[in-house]
Amino acid sequence: KVLGTVYQRQQRFQESIDVFRKVLKRAPVYPEVNLFVGISYYALNQFSDAITALNAELAANPKDRESRYYLALALDASDRKFDAIQQLEKLLAENPQDAQALYQLVRCYKLATHGAFSRLSKVAPESEFLLALRAETNAENDKSKEAIEQYKQLLVKNPEFPGVHFALGEIYWKLAQYEQAMAAVGSAQARLTELERGSRPEPGSAW
């Protein structure tokens, strides 16, 4: 085991794996060896093998935080973002102050969001859903002019798209454009009144 860790520190990762494998052949659950194997495979970008080794370590020692952390990294590198998130959430459930795990969690969510956005852009580049996401993103980033224009375009595509009138009202209110804000909220309230009178919307529609 000691020789394997020396090779690992020297970044001789394949040699370290060969040494660790010999240890595991004699003692399959030798403490931390599968962790070291997983780290070396991770360093070699052999993520599937890294995941297998790290899972083996966690099967023997479920509370090993380092193994779980590297498992999350390997899953993330394998484009299994939500599996990585699950492992990071387990770490944070045990220690909410783990800043390193929090950083990786935020990063995974961010990449997963960007990935989903990119997929939507390819699948439905002219859709109302992509337009809505762009408007929401601009509103969150205080790009009010762009958000208003996109929400207006969205209403042309689908006047019943959920939440648009309220979103517009909120932006106008922040800009102190109270007349426009009240008009937008009024449109939303009118839709609510229709619903209260028993007018059932089509699936996916709202106010």
Side-chain angles (χ1 to χ4, degrees), residues 65 69 87-89 91-92 95 97-107:
R65 294 183 62 80
Y69 178 77
Q87 297 302 322
L88 293 166
E89 291 283 15
L91 288 173
L92 290 165
N95 178 13
Q97 306 303 316
D98 188 336
Q100 189 176 36
L102 274 170
Y103 162 73
Q104 292 295 343
L105 183 65
V106 171
R107 180 178 169 277

Side-chain angles (χ1 to χ4, degrees), residues 147-190:
I148 289 171
E149 182 59 33
Q150 286 163 338
Y151 277 131
K152 286 180 177 179
Q153 292 174 23
L154 178 55
L155 286 172
V156 172
K157 281 182 176 288
N158 181 3
E160 301 296 328
F161 196 91
V164 176
H165 293 294
F166 274 127
L168 274 170
E170 185 176 13
I171 296 171
Y172 282 131
W173 193 267
K174 287 180 179 178
L175 295 173
Q177 297 180 21
Y178 302 120
E179 185 175 344
Q180 293 93 326
M182 294 303 295
V185 172
S187 296
Q189 289 175 334

